[in-house]
Amino acid sequence: MSADSATSDVFGPEPARPGRVRAFLRLVMIEHSVFALPFAYIAALTAMFLQDGTVHWWELLLVTVAMVGLRTFAMACNRIIDRELDARNPRTAGRELVTGAMSVRAAWTGALIAVVVFLGAAALLNPLCLALSPLAVVPMVVYPYGKRFTDYPHAILGLAQAIGPVGAWLAVTGSWSWEAVILGTAVGVWIGGFDLIFGCQDVAADRSQGVRSVPARFGIAAALHGARACHVVTTGLLAWYGVATGAGGFFWTGLLIVAAAFCYEHSIVRPHDLSRLNRAFFTVNGVIGCVLFLFALLDLTARGLGG
């Protein structure tokens, strides 16, 4: 046994070096929290407005920590579980667990830290959040396996993402809200829809490896039609949410911009031309979340939400 191995056995694994931390952040694509956080903020701030018209900064911070922790755990699990599939797909062969830039052990360590952070934030919020928090973890682990047993793993991803706004509302009020369910469903359908678009680029690799998805099973054209339908439904659900919460002019202006962004997104991705898919997936969908949050915040402020 080497001296390094003996030291590791006595003192445990060596602390993560900065390079490993950066590799883990790249692994989980931490910057993509922008897709989920804005809608959690919309839910939390709307709940605060309806509750007492005041921003509760501590609760908002805990919602942020919980959301980032759970999403980080989910992405790490996804990368770990899919690492062998990733190695056989040219698009994903450069990921950290495939190239060896990060070990599976280090990735699991990061995932466990992230889920502990999530559970800790839930415990600090209220008893209901803590009681329900283990249930929120389940779809995050199930999703990576979904592509092995169903042609509709996008629906599992949508369910996982729908949890965010519902959880954020529960974090503020400690009670169930159908308004939050409407918003959560909108988010789930939205993300499930753009996952249909994203999956189109892997059709050849998925079919050769037996990976299941709507694009692989029904073709790219069908998947894009499904994504359009999802985003029409998303727009309708967001309008329903606006009505249910008494939203004002700023919110509706933001929703119009979101609808225009959806139209643009679907105009630049065609069954025989996926060259602008990344622009549709990353740029447009990032803008959608941020724009709706900005206009929802302006609306709530105009209606009297104060700090």
Side-chain angles (χ1 to χ4, degrees):
M1 177 183 295
S2 69
D4 288 344
S5 177
T7 301
S8 177
D9 289 342
V10 173
F11 297 106
E14 61 179 301
R17 295 190 294 269
R20 292 182 183 176
V21 173
R22 286 195 295 271
F24 182 75
L25 294 178
R26 289 195 303 271
L27 178 80
V28 300
M29 303 176 77
I30 194 70
E31 67 277 10
H32 289 179
S33 299
V34 71
F35 292 145
L37 271 175
F39 291 93
Y41 288 152
I42 291 172
L45 291 170
T46 303
M48 292 173 190
F49 170 73
L50 295 175
Q51 187 177 59
D52 59 15
T54 303
V55 177
H56 308 158
W57 293 103
W58 174 242
E59 289 176 353
L60 202 59
L61 174 62
L62 290 175
V63 166
T64 305
V65 171
M67 287 289 296
V68 173
L70 185 58
R71 186 202 165 277
T72 299
F73 169 75
M75 282 295 295
C77 287
N78 191 16
R79 294 292 189 257
I80 293 166
I81 293 166
D82 278 354
R83 65 190 185 277
E84 293 182 1
L85 293 177
D86 287 344
R88 297 194 293 270
N89 185 335
R91 182 181 66 82
T92 57
R95 287 178 174 170
E96 288 73 15
L97 291 177
V98 178
T99 64
M102 166 154 285
S103 68
V104 175
R105 178 180 180 181
W108 272 124
T109 299
L112 292 175
I113 291 172
V115 79
V116 167
V117 168
F118 164 67
L119 295 172
L124 290 172
L125 281 163
N126 57 59
L128 182 59
C129 283
L130 178 60
L132 294 177
S133 57
L135 296 178
V137 173
V138 174
M140 309 301 171
V141 178
V142 172
Y143 167 64
Y145 291 107
K147 62 193 69 148
R148 293 161 171 83
F149 64 80
T150 177
D151 292 325
Y152 305 97
H154 327 278
I156 303 173
L157 177 62
L159 173 63
Q161 297 298 325
I163 291 170
V166 177
W169 197 294
L170 290 174
V172 173
T173 66
S175 60
W176 187 256
S177 164
W178 287 110
E179 293 88 348
V181 172
I182 296 169
L183 182 60
T185 305
V187 172
V189 175
W190 167 53
I191 290 181
F194 76 64
D195 193 53
L196 287 174
I197 298 173
F198 192 70
C200 288
Q201 63 190 318
D202 290 329
V203 167
D206 287 350
R207 286 173 175 169
S208 67
Q209 297 179 45
V211 176
R212 301 174 69 175
S213 71
V214 167
R217 172 67 176 81
F218 300 103
I220 292 174
L224 294 180
H225 284 304
R228 291 189 190 104
C230 285
H231 292 159
V232 169
V233 172
T234 298
T235 305
L237 287 168
L238 290 174
W240 186 10
Y241 174 78
V243 171
T245 57
F250 280 116
F251 177 88
W252 295 108
T253 301
L255 185 54
L256 285 175
I257 296 172
V258 166
F262 278 141
C263 291
Y264 172 72
E265 176 180 30
H266 290 285
S267 73
I268 64 174
V269 180
R270 302 289 183 180
H272 302 293
D273 181 10
L274 301 178
S275 60
R276 292 181 288 182
L277 185 145
N278 281 337
R279 184 193 303 178
F281 183 79
F282 296 112
T283 305
V284 177
N285 285 298
V287 166
I288 284 171
C290 292
V291 163
L292 193 63
F293 167 67
L294 174 62
F295 279 87
L297 177 61
L298 288 172
D299 187 63
L300 290 169
T301 303
R303 293 161 63 195
L305 179 66

